Structures are given as structure tokens and as C-alpha cells.
Amino acid sequence: MTSNDTTPSGDLNIGRDLDLVLVGATGFVGRLTAAHLAETAGEARIALAGRDLGRLEQARASLPPAASTWELVVVDVTDAEQAAALARRTTVVCSTVGPYEQYGKALVRACAEAGTHYCDLTGEVTFVRWSIDTVGPIAERTGARIVHSCGFDSVPSDLGVLETARAAAEAGDGTLTRTVTHVRSMRGGISGGTVASMRGQVVRAGEDPSVGRLLRDSYALSPDRAAEPDRSGHADTERVSGPAALARKAGVEYDRDSGRWTAPFFMASYNTRVVRWSNARTGWSYGRDLQYSEVVDTGEGPLGATRGVATSAAVTGIMGGMGKKPIRAVLDRVLPSPGEGPSDSSMKKGRFVFDIEADTTTGAHYRTRVADGRDPGYTSTAVMLGQSALALAQDDLAAVTDAGGVMTPATGLGRLLVDRLRRQGFTIETVRR
């Protein structure tokens, strides 16, 4: 089980000799997360976990000096007994091991049963729905916080809408109605783990009609699906004809507020469900009339429309191609594999800027900017995940909620994570317009 310790046993609150265990520390994003923890975790008792001791030793050797004394834990997280032994040792488990549908279930269940907090990077609707239904009641009983999607899926969207709704409520401006996240700019890679998760869900949807229905449901992650409206939001648009009408058929729309064209954001299908889940879990505190969507800003005029069509076609082609075995084989050769990542020089050029534009029930309008000058899928995600894990290990979680259960970043960490990310250089700012 470990390189220098025996497996503990006993009651839930006994034998926790670690504050945080990072599982998947030898993968690309895992190593980036470990490096961030080594720079920011202070005196936290941290261990790196994975299946191969040699690779763990290499990973630790590449980290800043603060990590030199971290314990190395050899574990197969798909083995229920090994996962349970690991969970009993630590306050928090942080996992980068995906696809989570394949590798995450035993570990999440073990954490829930042990009362151990957990965070990950999943963007898999099927896995999170399983977690809510199967693990949620256990975590509620033990007090474990199972916080999914603590990376680019879906921290910027989730915290951005949280802050927008909070600002409107504090100003007495009511609750949110039409709310659109605009991706103003983004440069950086999509991780191999994200690609693998998307591929797995598309394949399963083709094999199992019930999975397809779940993935098409805008409120698939709601804790009370029957109480949800049967709608999804979109930006206000103008009636157009000619080339503009053709663009609209491709899912591209003209935003009359900004005078710019927008295309579907490739991560919207998951992020929107997380935001709606946060709204429902907090008793629809964002508003019963919330209409939420996410789009990519592609520019003005005919060129903006053309870019929008190209963006939409690329998203549709990749997602559709993953469902067809011959095309999937081609995509597998060009898209990153799990554990792979870009060069340091490429990551240094990364950035993203999101603007959440929201109307309220009183007619006010708010804009929240969420931005970071790091690669969204890699270095920025490592900061988001690392700070989520440290919040679970070190912060006063009762400031957010006393409850355990399966949660979003907004409902499980809330302003604790907002404040932490700001201290790490993120922009998270809300203005009334």
C-alpha cells in the first residue's frame, strides 16, 4: 500500500496522519498540481499517490524542495479495499485520475464512507449523476464533501455565476434571469483527460439510449429534476436573413447587445448543467427564472459569422466523430491522450477571459469577469484544483455550509475558493452596469 507506512484502521476520526493525498500525481495535470501544492501548501502533510513507485519517485524529484519529504503511496484506486485504506488516512483526497467513470467510483465511495473530503476534475455527466444518486446519501451522513469539477470544468462558470447572483442579491436587485457566459478570449490546450472523458460519454450514449437521454437533459445533474423547468437559456438575437440566417442554422447567433456573433462553447454542455445544479442545490437562490447558456465570442460582421460557423462545425465534427469508430480512430491520433500535455513554452502563452452577463428580475444588469493568465486546461486548472483541495483541508468549511454531500465548487467551497483564487492572481470581479 505505501512505501514506508502500514495501512491504518479504526474509527472515522482516528488515524488520519495526512492532510491531503494527490492521486494521479504522475500524470501531466497531476504533476502540475503537485508543483502548485509544493509552492503554496505550507506545512500541510501531503502524499503523492499512484500505481507505480518508480514514477512517483521521479515525479517527486521534479518538484520544488518542499515536496522532498512527502510520502509516496502506491495504490490501485479501482480496488475497493485499497481505496478505503487510503481514504481513512487523510482529510482530503484530490484525484486527477480519469476517465472517472472508469477509475473514480471506488475512490469516491471510499471517501464518502470514511467521511473524507474529495475533489476532482471530472466533466462527465454520467459519473457525477452516479455520484449524486449513489454516494450522496452516504456523504450526507458522514459529513464528507464530494466536490466534483474543480478545474476549467467548471470553476470559472460556477463561481462566476455564484458571484453574480450574490452581488445582485446584496444590492437588492432580485435574482438572475437571462445569464450568458461569453468566452471573450481563450488560448491553451484541452487536456488528454478531458478528451478521454468526452470520448467515453459519446461512445456510451451510442450504446445505451438512457445515457443519451441523460446527456441531452439540460438539468441532468439537478438534485430535484421534477422541480426544474423544461427550458434552457440563450442570448437575445435579431431576425436576420441571407448568410446570417445560414449561420444561425449552424448554431451561430447574433448578440444584439454587443453587436457580435457567438458560437456554442464546446464545454457548455457540461458547465451549464453544473451551474443549474448549484442553483437547485441552494434552493434556486440564483433564481427560478434563471436561463443560463455559454457561448464563444467570434467577432463582428460577416467575418465574425464565418468564424462562428467554423467554430460550431469544429465542435459538432469532433463530438459527432467520437461516436463513429473509424473517425474516432483518426481523432485519437491527433488529440492528446490522458497524461499528455503541451510544452512549457506553449503553456506560458495560455490565458482565458470569461464575461458573465446577467439580467435580474428588477431589470438590473451585472457583468462578472473571470480571467486568468495561465493555460486553462493545464496550469490554470492545476491552480484551481490545488486550491480546492487546500480549502477542503485548511479552511473553515462551515462558513459555506455545515452539510456534507455531493457538491459543486460553488456549493461546496463558494467564496472560500473565490478568495483563494484571487490570491493566486485570478480576476473575479462583478460590476453593475
Side-chain angles (χ1 to χ4, degrees):
M1 172 67 183
T2 74
S3 61
N4 56 6
D5 277 278
T6 58
T7 301
S9 62
D11 296 336
L12 294 181
N13 296 320
I14 296 176
R16 295 184 189 267
D17 58 317
L18 295 167
D19 297 315
L20 192 162
V21 175
L22 175 62
V23 179
T26 61
F28 196 90
V29 175
R31 293 195 301 273
L32 292 173
T33 305
H36 177 69
L37 290 173
E39 294 169 352
T40 61
E43 299 300 316
R45 300 169 299 171
I46 295 177
L48 305 178
R51 291 180 296 179
D52 186 286
L53 179 58
R55 292 184 65 196
L56 285 170
E57 290 173 337
Q58 291 175 359
R60 184 175 62 181
S62 69
L63 297 175
S68 61
T69 59
W70 288 357
E71 184 182 339
L72 304 179
V73 181
V74 178
V75 61
D76 178 359
V77 294
T78 65
D79 182 285
E81 291 186 2
Q82 292 186 41
L86 179 67
R88 289 194 298 267
R89 292 193 58 190
T90 183
T91 300
V92 178
V93 168
C94 174
S95 177
T96 66
V97 181
Y100 292 90
E101 181 80 32
Q102 183 177 356
Y103 298 112
K105 291 183 176 179
L107 185 59
V108 170
R109 184 189 291 273
C111 288
E113 291 175 346
T116 298
H117 302 319
Y118 167 94
C119 58
D120 65 23
L121 295 173
T122 189
E124 301 164 49
V125 172
T126 52
F127 171 71
V128 176
R129 186 70 256 177
W130 170 88
S131 181
I132 293 169
D133 295 337
T134 306
V135 173
I138 302 171
E140 290 170 7
R141 186 180 70 250
T142 65
R145 294 188 190 215
I146 308 299
V147 187
H148 294 301
S149 309
C150 292
F152 196 50
D153 276 331
S154 297
V155 166
S157 305
D158 202 31
L159 294 188
V161 177
L162 170 73
E163 285 295 282
T164 308
R166 180 195 61 78
E170 290 182 354
D173 280 329
T175 56
L176 306 185
T177 55
R178 187 199 70 155
T179 302
V180 183
T181 289
H182 293 261
V183 181
R184 299 298 187 192
S185 67
M186 188 175 74
R187 181 168 183 171
I190 179 173
S191 73
T194 297
V195 171
S197 295
M198 292 167 57
R199 181 194 301 111
Q201 289 194 105
V202 170
V203 171
R204 286 195 64 207
E207 298 171 346
D208 184 344
S210 67
V211 173
R213 287 193 296 272
L214 182 69
L215 297 182
R216 290 189 296 272
D217 184 356
S218 297
Y219 298 89
L221 301 181
S222 174
D224 187 359
R225 181 62 185 89
E228 295 284 7
D230 187 15
R231 65 170 182 240
S232 61
H234 56 81
D236 284 349
T237 57
E238 293 180 340
R239 293 182 178 276
V240 292
S241 59
L246 294 177
R248 180 157 305 160
K249 289 182 179 180
V252 179
E253 296 190 344
Y254 181 75
D255 180 1
R256 68 185 181 194
D257 291 337
S258 65
R260 301 175 73 84
W261 288 91
T262 65
F265 181 39
F266 75 94
M267 294 172 66
S269 63
Y270 185 72
N271 291 340
T272 53
R273 285 154 177 79
V274 170
V275 169
R276 294 176 190 132
W277 173 19
S278 293
N279 189 30
R281 186 175 171 87
T282 56
W284 291 275
S285 63
Y286 302 169
R288 275 288 190 175
D289 297 320
L290 177 71
Q291 301 171 47
Y292 182 65
S293 61
E294 297 188 348
V295 297
V296 177
D297 184 335
T298 61
E300 300 176 330
L303 183 57
T306 301
R307 288 184 185 133
V309 171
T311 300
S312 179
V315 172
T316 302
I318 291 174
M319 295 303 294
M322 285 182 176
K324 298 176 174 61
K325 192 172 182 179
I327 300 176
R328 188 162 66 243
V330 175
L331 292 173
D332 286 345
R333 289 197 291 269
V334 297
L335 294 174
S337 299
E340 294 182 352
S343 66
D344 288 344
S345 61
S346 176
M347 287 190 291
K348 287 179 181 178
K349 299 175 184 176
R351 65 178 186 276
F352 71 87
V353 178
F354 284 10
D355 280 340
I356 295 95
E357 303 277 359
D359 295 327
T360 76
T361 51
T362 64
H365 186 88
Y366 283 79
R367 171 183 290 169
T368 297
R369 172 156 289 187
V370 182
D372 187 37
R374 285 165 282 215
D375 189 297
Y378 292 99
T379 45
S380 188
T381 280
V383 175
M384 288 184 263
L385 180 63
Q387 290 300 311
S388 297
L390 290 174
L392 289 170
Q394 299 175 336
D395 292 357
D396 178 13
L397 300 177
V400 180
T401 176
D402 290 324
V406 178
M407 303 177 176
T408 65
T411 59
L413 297 171
R415 299 211 76 191
L416 297 175
L417 185 55
V418 171
D419 292 341
R420 279 181 168 272
L421 293 179
R422 284 174 174 156
R423 291 195 293 270
Q424 296 301 318
F426 279 66
T427 297
I428 306 177
E429 297 177 348
T430 303
V431 296
R432 189 181 189 274
R433 298 175 59 230

